[in-house]
Amino acid sequence: MKYLFIHQNFPGQYLHLVRHLVQAGGHEIVFISEDNANLIPGVRRVIYRMPRHATEQTHPGAREFDLGLVRADAVAKAASTLRDLGFEPDIIIGHHGWGELLNIQDVFPGVPVLGYFEFYYHDEPGFDVGFDPEFPMQPAMMPLVRAKNAINLQALTSPGYGQTPTEFQKSAYPDWAREKITVLREGVDLELCRPDATAHRRKFSIKDVHVSPKEKLITYVSRDLEPYRGFHVFMRALPRILREQPDARVIMVGGDGVSYGARLPSGSWRERMLEELAGELDLSRIHFVGKVSYDDFLRLLQRSDTHVYLTYPFVASWSLREAMAAGCAIVGSATAPVEEFIEDGVTGRLVPFTEPDRIAEGILELLNDTRTAKKMRQEARAEAERTLCMKAYLARYEDLISQLITGHKAAPVLQDIAAEADAPRNGTVPKRGKPKAALKTKPDAIKAEPVTPAKKPRQPVARKTAPVRAAAKQVASASSKTVRTPKSAAQAAPCVAKGKAVRSASVKRTAGRRKKADLASS
């Protein structure tokens, strides 16, 4: 098959899928992106360059959309060159977030598009904006929040189909859009991210920090140390933790930038919180190690006595999935994205995001109740094996791709059949139009493992959908079975034998959000 991937930061969310397709063989894989140093053998890259950036004359609410349109033009130009050279993909897979897919339908009008829908922004309660009472949203900013969905809305009304990694992220989208989006839970390499029973028995070192086997280690990981990931409230929990747990050390991984939300006028959140808590912290036991290699990141999770993961109601980090796979005793925020992964008292301990004392209580509990912590570690790993298996994730991905391609190829045939059925018996040719019966259903999308949504989505409003999706549903119905690739989820061997991780080839993340030499865990 011929695949065309599009993501401004090669390979982005598609690292594991692309590597899997390369290893499977028999595919032609082309990737359009901006330039970077990342490389995957067997993938042909096409580089585009942004001709300009946002201008001061552009309205602040329109700058993101303006840049999205600029990207769309640049990607369309690169895709047109591919087309002129004779390349036509069987499917186009890309991330909608930066607007790169907005014009791709004009270049390849007959090709199905599977887009990644990451987040739909809200100005009402229940999501990130206005969640933290410490940072109230000014009324003047609300129009800018709504304007951030300009690219989202263009993508949702364009031909194609979508996927997103969690039920929470899907629930953020409007009712009428959800029928277009499949939840495809992202997987973890369970062989690479696994518990290490010996990690607590030996001295642990990372950069210039050393932790003895007798010390308790508290870990915190974020791409950047900032409020969206609860850095400020975690810091405020530390005075009590260090006071009541004299054998504890804290290691924090993350940069001093801002990945989400507004930037400070000057300095970093690390500097601000150290200034706020001056005199209350034993800085000899708190270690900021910046960004680390992926190998060091995994070793840190394996050695952790309690791992802290806090977030606004926003996109869940990959590091949470990896912490579960590594068998961490997790203290997480009682927010919707975390609740989808962690069950309080079973796979971890959930605490109120805005209450440092409660955060401290949860951490101290797991540090001292070793029996409970051990059970939660085992349950977290078991949950990762059930729901975050990379092999099963890739099989479901291939199934979804197969369905969309099959349904898209069948659509013209179904339209012709519908047209013939509507044709008058006197032999006159009817006017061209949409087939009446072929546009009211959606495809039988691949179902992810059952999860409990943090917020039960309302039922989508019935509406006419694209011919591609209608055709996929009719093809599936006619055959009474799902169309699958040779390595389908049903045919694949079980991901995890009872009590054991699958012995698959190790896959190391070298690019996307996180590079091996420069970890940027979100």
Side-chain angles (χ1 to χ4, degrees):
M1 277 183 28
K2 295 182 178 181
Y3 289 85
L4 175 59
F5 288 90
I6 302 173
H7 191 299
Q8 50 91 22
N9 186 24
F10 169 79
Q13 280 85 355
Y14 305 112
L15 171 65
H16 298 296
L17 177 60
V18 169
R19 280 184 169 172
H20 171 71
L21 294 172
V22 170
Q23 290 168 3
H27 303 298
E28 185 175 355
I29 303 168
V30 179
F31 206 118
I32 297 178
S33 73
E34 288 194 271
D35 196 13
N36 61 26
N38 301 324
L39 176 68
I40 299 178
V43 177
R44 176 182 167 196
R45 291 190 62 187
V46 177
I47 305 302
Y48 75 86
R49 292 174 176 80
M50 289 288 284
R52 65 172 178 82
H53 297 285
T55 64
E56 291 296 327
Q57 291 75 26
T58 306
H59 187 285
R63 286 173 188 167
E64 199 168 295
F65 187 48
D66 176 48
L67 288 179
L69 294 176
V70 173
R71 283 189 185 277
D73 288 343
V75 168
K77 183 177 179 180
S80 296
T81 300
L82 279 171
R83 181 198 59 202
D84 294 344
L85 291 172
F87 178 80
E88 179 161 343
D90 294 299
I91 192 165
I92 298 167
I93 303 174
H95 196 306
H96 279 301
W98 297 276
E100 295 168 301
L101 302 180
L102 292 180
N103 298 346
I104 200 69
Q105 68 202 50
D106 302 322
V107 182
F108 297 112
V111 178
V113 177
L114 177 58
Y116 190 102
F117 287 99
E118 190 159 38
F119 198 67
Y120 192 91
Y121 294 90
H122 291 259
D123 58 4
E124 70 267 17
F127 297 91
D128 57 324
V129 174
F131 167 76
D132 192 337
E134 188 172 343
F135 309 106
M137 179 63 65
Q138 299 301 317
M141 296 297 294
M142 293 303 187
L144 303 187
V145 173
R146 294 191 294 271
K148 286 178 70 66
N149 287 319
I151 293 175
N152 255 327
L153 291 167
Q154 287 286 316
L156 288 168
T157 54
S158 296
Y161 199 69
Q163 59 113 334
T164 197
T166 67
E167 293 284 353
F168 169 72
Q169 285 165 267
K170 180 176 179 177
S171 75
Y173 282 84
D175 292 352
W176 56 265
R178 292 177 195 158
E179 65 174 12
K180 186 174 186 173
I181 303 172
T182 290
V183 173
L184 193 62
R185 300 195 76 179
E186 293 172 338
V188 175
D189 186 333
L190 295 175
E191 178 63 18
L192 186 63
C193 302
R194 65 185 187 276
D196 181 355
T198 67
H200 291 76
R201 303 174 194 165
R202 57 182 182 268
K203 182 179 178 180
F204 174 79
S205 299
I206 183 170
K207 294 191 175 180
D208 59 349
V209 180
H210 307 285
V211 182
S212 77
K214 295 181 180 180
E215 292 179 300
K216 300 286 189 180
L217 178 59
I218 303 165
T219 56
Y220 171 95
V221 176
S222 180
R223 184 187 302 181
D224 286 300
L225 307 177
E226 57 183 322
Y228 254 72
R229 297 309 191 194
F231 171 70
H232 59 316
V233 289
F234 176 55
M235 286 290 291
R236 290 169 185 152
L238 289 182
R240 177 181 172 184
I241 294 170
L242 296 177
R243 185 172 61 250
E244 297 184 19
Q245 195 75 39
D247 61 345
R249 283 186 182 273
V250 182
I251 294 181
M252 283 184 261
V253 172
D256 282 333
V258 174
S259 296
Y260 312 108
R263 295 183 177 274
L264 289 168
S266 62
S268 68
W269 281 104
R270 178 175 58 86
E271 294 168 335
R272 173 170 286 197
M273 295 312 301
L274 287 174
E275 181 180 354
E276 177 186 316
L277 299 169
E280 299 181 48
L281 298 171
D282 181 354
L283 296 178
S284 68
R285 293 194 283 150
I286 301 175
H287 309 281
F288 300 96
V289 296
K291 297 182 179 182
V292 301
S293 72
Y294 192 62
D295 287 344
D296 282 345
F297 163 70
L298 291 180
R299 290 194 307 109
L300 182 69
L301 293 180
Q302 291 168 333
R303 174 58 182 86
S304 173
D305 288 289
T306 301
H307 181 71
V308 181
Y309 181 76
L310 309 170
T311 183
Y312 284 10
F314 193 59
V315 177
S317 307
W318 286 346
S319 65
L320 173 59
R321 298 165 170 89
E322 289 156 328
M324 293 174 64
C328 287
I330 300 171
V331 173
S333 56
T335 48
V338 184
E339 290 170 341
E340 190 166 329
F341 291 87
I342 302 295
E343 182 180 353
D344 186 34
V346 179
T347 52
R349 177 65 69 211
L350 297 182
V351 294
F353 179 95
T354 57
E355 299 182 31
D357 270 346
R358 296 284 298 279
I359 295 171
E361 288 172 6
I363 294 170
L364 290 167
E365 176 192 347
L366 294 189
L367 288 178
N368 292 288
D369 188 346
T370 54
R371 180 176 295 181
T372 297
K374 181 179 179 179
K375 184 172 178 57
M376 288 183 178
R377 290 174 182 277
Q378 294 170 341
E379 290 295 332
R381 171 66 187 190
E383 180 67 13
E385 291 175 351
R386 284 192 296 269
T387 64
L388 301 176
C389 172
M390 179 66 72
K391 185 175 182 180
Y393 162 65
L394 293 173
R396 291 193 303 274
Y397 218 140
E398 287 189 295
D399 280 347
L400 179 57
I401 291 169
S402 178
Q403 287 183 31
L404 296 180
I405 292 174
T406 301
H408 187 82
K409 289 179 178 178
V413 175
L414 292 172
Q415 289 176 356
D416 290 343
I417 293 172
E420 290 176 8
D422 288 341
R425 296 183 180 275
N426 61 9
T428 59
V429 178
K431 294 182 179 180
R432 302 288 293 179
K434 296 179 180 179
K436 294 180 179 180
L439 298 176
K440 296 183 180 179
T441 56
K442 62 175 183 175
D444 293 328
I446 296 301
K447 303 296 182 183
E449 294 94 338
V451 295
T452 302
K455 175 181 176 183
K456 185 177 181 180
R458 291 170 287 176
Q459 292 298 316
V461 177
R463 68 182 184 90
K464 293 186 177 181
T465 59
V468 173
R469 287 176 284 158
K473 181 69 174 279
Q474 294 192 26
V475 167
S477 298
S479 62
S480 299
K481 63 180 180 179
T482 302
V483 178
R484 297 186 184 277
T485 59
K487 294 183 179 180
S488 68
Q491 296 166 321
C495 179
V496 179
K498 191 172 183 180
K500 295 183 179 180
V502 64
R503 297 294 176 181
S504 59
S506 295
V507 179
K508 184 178 294 183
R509 178 177 297 118
T510 59
R513 290 186 186 172
R514 195 182 295 116
K515 299 179 184 177
K516 181 176 185 293
D518 187 20
L519 175 67
S521 293
S522 59

